[in-house]
Amino acid sequence: MLKRFLTAALTFGMALSPFLPAQATSISSGDLIKGPGDTVYYYGADAKRYVFPNVKTYQSWYSDFSTLKTLTLEELQQIPLASIVTYRPGTRLVKVTTDPKVYAVDAHGTLRWVQTEALAIQLYGADWSKKVDDVPDGYFINYKIGAPISSTADYMPSTVMAADASINFDLKLSAAAPVTPVTPTAPTSTTPTVPTTPTAPTSTTPSTSAVTLSVSETTAQPGDIIALTATAQDPSGINHIDLYFDGMLIKTCYISSCRGETQVPISNTKSTYVSEARATTMTAQVMSQTANTDIKSDGSNLISVKLGQAQIMSGQRGSAVVNVDPSIAVLRVDIYVDNSIVKACADGSHQCQWTDFLNSYTLGSSHPVKSIVTDTLGRTYTSDIVSLTV
């Protein structure tokens, strides 16, 4: 019944209407929520909302909408938008139209290539090909590629599905363990020792202690995923490395190298974010290295607005074509004339066209035309303005 109605990504409205509960007064971690629109979100343990990008992803986690809670627009806007929900591990096979490989979904949005048809049959049965879903290119970037599967000893659908029973777990939203700062050891004596002769250094060999940090993106947009990679060395050995982004701990590794990922906040208000690697040695010394990521505030270079004619006669037909860069996972494209929407394309297409007769426009008048694009994470990109003159 649901499949008959839920035919477009993020368009749940027709199928949801029989199931909508009364307006929610409170929500808690793990709840399914929506606002006045049709988009459905998962409310995570980090008090943020995660969007289901399409119906098939939702159905890999839930069989119906009986627990869905409806919020007012004001209530929904108070909850920060984070990222998307990926397929539940073990439920379906997936592929992307531009890649012939078929992948099984493992924990934390990890895709693992099923190397042979014989192996696919072992894992998902003789009808395995009917269990393959196409993931749009724009959503594929939310997954990461893991090691290929070469045998059933590497991966069993029932096992990974049972181990990944909640979206909180799959998104790694459980609270991080508190970090206990290292307190320097106090000296055993407070009496200073005054040498009669300056002590010469015992060695001229430079220190081999060092920590390095690199970030995958030195320039990014709100919502982008950034990887931090750090290495450290010290003669006494490395106890652990802590990775920080914007002052918040994102990963601790108890070896001499560490890699972690984080997301630039959607509701960004900063022009630069600082990442930091702190390495603690076996003798409790702390070394630190920082790296900056600058935030792009203007996405106009990713959108082009081309007028059919820049100058027209009153009563003639005006037109515009908007083209969006393929790097953007488009949710909708809006075309504005005189700051009013004249065309909305909500089919996820990277092109949107508008045309209309301009009977009410006066001779000599000039009208600004622009486009605002919204992607699947809720980010907006505004084009440069072009002028249409009558």
Side-chain angles (χ1 to χ4, degrees):
M1 181 67 172
L2 290 177
K3 289 183 179 179
R4 188 174 67 184
F5 292 112
L6 302 180
T7 57
L10 303 177
T11 308
F12 292 177
M14 294 179 65
L16 295 186
S17 54
F19 304 96
L20 293 181
Q23 179 174 309
T25 56
S26 64
I27 56 175
S28 58
S29 172
D31 281 350
L32 296 171
I33 60 174
K34 69 180 292 291
D38 299 326
T39 305
V40 177
Y41 306 90
Y42 179 86
Y43 183 66
D46 58 351
K48 297 179 181 179
R49 52 190 164 110
Y50 294 79
V51 66
F52 289 95
N54 54 29
V55 175
K56 290 181 178 179
T57 303
Y58 181 91
Q59 291 175 335
S60 73
W61 289 97
Y62 301 96
S63 59
D64 58 39
F65 301 92
S66 58
T67 60
L68 184 63
K69 296 181 179 180
T70 301
L71 309 182
T72 65
L73 178 60
E74 291 73 18
E75 290 171 332
L76 190 68
Q77 290 174 339
Q78 294 301 311
I79 305 171
L81 179 63
S83 60
I84 76 165
V85 178
T86 53
Y87 271 82
R88 182 176 180 181
T91 56
R92 302 286 291 179
L93 294 163
V94 301
K95 67 181 297 295
V96 64
T97 54
T98 54
D99 183 351
K101 294 179 181 178
V102 173
Y103 297 91
V105 184
D106 210 337
H108 315 307
T110 302
L111 299 183
R112 303 182 62 188
W113 175 34
V114 181
Q115 295 180 296
T116 65
E117 182 177 358
L119 181 56
I121 293 173
Q122 286 180 286
L123 295 176
Y124 285 91
D127 62 342
W128 67 271
S129 61
K130 297 180 180 179
K131 301 174 182 177
V132 180
D133 289 343
D134 282 324
V135 175
D137 288 6
Y139 301 143
F140 197 74
I141 61 175
N142 292 281
Y143 295 84
K144 54 182 176 287
I145 305 299
I149 301 172
S150 57
S151 70
T152 54
D154 290 342
Y155 179 96
M156 280 301 294
S158 59
T159 302
V160 298
M161 184 167 61
D164 205 330
S166 77
I167 296 174
N168 268 331
F169 176 85
D170 195 59
L171 293 173
K172 299 182 181 180
L173 300 182
S174 55
V179 179
T180 304
V182 178
T183 304
T185 305
T188 56
S189 172
T190 58
T191 303
T193 302
V194 181
T196 56
T197 303
T199 303
T202 57
S203 172
T204 58
T205 303
S207 172
T208 57
S209 300
V211 58
T212 61
L213 170 67
S214 63
V215 293
S216 61
E217 305 291 340
T218 56
T219 303
Q221 298 178 119
D224 282 352
I225 301 297
I226 296 178
L228 285 62
T229 304
T231 59
Q233 59 180 13
D234 186 79
S236 69
I238 299 299
N239 182 284
H240 65 276
I241 299 175
D242 294 322
L243 298 179
Y244 291 84
F245 181 78
D246 195 31
M248 297 184 63
L249 179 68
I250 64 169
K251 186 75 174 287
T252 297
C253 302
Y254 291 90
I255 53 177
S256 59
S257 63
C258 193
R259 185 181 187 279
E261 293 184 346
T262 188
Q263 184 181 43
V264 178
I266 297 290
S267 54
N268 170 65
T269 58
K270 296 186 177 182
S271 59
T272 300
Y273 281 90
V274 178
S275 300
E276 182 182 10
R278 297 178 193 171
T280 302
T281 70
M282 289 299 184
T283 57
Q285 300 300 309
V286 178
M287 302 179 291
S288 177
Q289 179 71 40
T290 61
N292 292 343
T293 298
D294 295 326
I295 303 304
K296 291 183 278 189
S297 59
D298 180 16
S300 61
N301 62 313
L302 300 176
I303 309 169
S304 70
V305 178
K306 183 175 291 186
L307 298 176
Q309 289 180 278
Q311 294 183 337
I312 63 172
M313 297 295 292
S314 179
Q316 283 188 323
R317 186 187 297 269
S319 64
V321 177
V322 175
N323 287 291
V324 184
D325 190 272
S327 64
I328 299 177
V330 175
L331 179 62
R332 63 179 290 146
V333 179
D334 295 315
I335 300 177
Y336 290 76
V337 177
D338 292 332
N339 293 317
S340 297
I341 295 179
V342 295
K343 182 65 178 291
C345 300
D347 58 356
S349 172
H350 285 74
Q351 186 178 87
C352 185
Q353 300 184 37
W354 161 77
T355 182
D356 196 7
F357 287 103
L358 307 180
N359 297 314
S360 61
Y361 288 13
T362 59
L363 184 65
S365 61
S366 182
H367 307 273
V369 181
K370 67 177 181 180
S371 177
I372 296 179
V373 177
T374 305
D375 71 8
T376 55
L377 293 179
R379 299 177 294 193
T380 57
Y381 307 78
T382 303
S383 73
D384 289 331
I385 295 175
V386 295
S387 294
L388 177 63
T389 302
V390 179

